[in-house]
Amino acid sequence: MATPQPQPLQDRVAIVTGSSRGIGREIALHLASLGARLVINYTSNSAQADSLAAQINANSATPRAITVRADVSDPVQVKSLFDSAEQAFHSPVHILVNSAGVLDGTYPTIANTTVESFDRIFAVNARGAFVCAKEAANRLKRGGGGRIILLTTSLAAALKPGYGAYTASKAAVEAMTKILAKELKGTQITANCVAPGPVATEMFFEGKTEEMVNRAVQENPSGRLGETKDIAPVVGLLATDASEWVNGQIIRVNGGYV
């Protein structure tokens, strides 16, 4: 009988923030299918996070997924997130995927964006990505297999009205990622962004009228909204050794939206 081939992420430890639902959930499932051991991070959806962990652990003799509540904008909680991963799996963390994000579902113009909304969006999207990437840069395994993957948005290229604070927060992440990739020289840790276009998730549909949704479909050459399964395999590729020559890049996964 042939010896089974190891999976691409066999026993590597991956933290996926914001993975109780949406794109983050699909990414966690995909990385698990590639052999990774998962830390499922959430802030409020504990039941959904527990359900995902149970799904991943269902056919395994030993736990391959744990859940950890942490606010990505809080350095103390993010440190605890990495500590929990190392303690649970007796291994350094190999992969960080930062998928946590928020937007303003009223889609205000910049002139009508409140300072409170701006601060909330930047706290999660920009500060959260910074805090997680900072911890990862100091904690990920050196010498191979280290991957920092931050989710941004194709709106950073499309520049649509109504998304001023959200787009600005993600554009900041893209700039940081390109710099981080250079600063990690010699570690064999790569840093990249995956920038989805419109994807059919709770966050995308928040506050949108049917007309707004239809417009997003019509503007896409592919003639549909993206699905979470369109995004996860791209993140999966970036997490594997096959992507070691991809570094400091913004990969827009959007069906031709921009």
Side-chain angles (χ1 to χ4, degrees), residues 15-148:
I15 294 174
V16 183
T17 70
S19 51
S20 64
R21 60 179 184 163
I23 294 174
R25 183 184 184 89
E26 192 72 31
I27 289 169
L29 282 169
H30 185 69
L31 296 185
S33 77
L34 298 178
R37 295 176 288 179
L38 266 296
V39 178
I40 297 158
N41 160 251
Y42 68 97
T43 53
S44 58
N45 293 301
S46 61
Q48 289 174 287
D50 290 342
S51 171
L52 177 58
Q55 184 177 346
I56 292 171
N57 288 327
N59 298 314
S60 177
T62 57
R64 302 198 61 81
I66 64 168
T67 63
V68 180
R69 185 184 184 280
D71 176 351
V72 295
S73 67
D74 184 331
V76 174
Q77 293 188 36
V78 171
K79 180 182 182 300
S80 178
L81 178 64
F82 277 75
D83 289 344
S84 297
E86 292 176 355
Q87 291 163 9
F89 297 118
H90 309 289
S91 166
V93 176
H94 299 79
I95 301 155
L96 166 73
V97 180
N98 187 60
S99 182
V102 297
L103 55 67
D104 186 334
T106 66
Y107 308 101
T109 62
I110 289 173
N112 290 319
T113 299
T114 66
V115 172
E116 291 77 15
S117 175
F118 180 93
D119 287 346
R120 180 180 73 94
I121 288 168
F122 264 76
V124 176
N125 296 356
R127 178 186 165 109
F130 160 72
V131 170
C132 289
K134 172 182 167 66
E135 193 71 21
N138 286 297
R139 300 278 290 268
L140 288 195
K141 182 182 180 296
R142 262 64 175 163
R147 301 286 184 265
I148 297 173

Side-chain angles (χ1 to χ4, degrees), residues 155-200:
L155 287 167
L159 301 173
K160 298 285 184 182
Y163 295 89
Y166 178 75
T167 300
S169 71
K170 295 294 193 175
V173 175
E174 293 185 358
M176 283 192 290
T177 301
K178 291 182 177 184
I179 294 169
L180 180 61
K182 296 175 181 179
E183 292 175 344
L184 288 170
K185 179 180 179 179
T187 65
Q188 292 184 263
I189 298 170
T190 64
N192 293 287
C193 288
V194 171
V199 176

Side-chain angles (χ1 to χ4, degrees), residues 181-256:
K182 296 175 181 179
E183 292 175 344
L184 288 170
K185 179 180 179 179
T187 65
Q188 292 184 263
I189 298 170
T190 64
N192 293 287
C193 288
V194 171
V199 176
T201 62
E202 289 178 42
M203 191 170 86
F204 171 77
F205 288 118
E206 182 184 343
K208 285 187 174 67
T209 63
E210 186 177 350
E211 180 186 358
M212 293 168 71
V213 173
N214 289 338
R215 190 183 311 129
V217 172
Q218 292 162 7
E219 289 173 345
N220 197 311
S222 296
R224 65 173 176 85
L225 294 178
E227 299 178 21
T228 56
K229 67 181 182 181
D230 295 320
I231 312 302
V234 180
V235 176
L237 175 64
L238 289 175
T240 68
D241 292 342
S243 72
E244 67 178 356
W245 202 236
V246 182
N247 197 14
Q249 303 303 307
I250 313 301
I251 301 177
R252 305 210 183 278
V253 189
N254 58 40

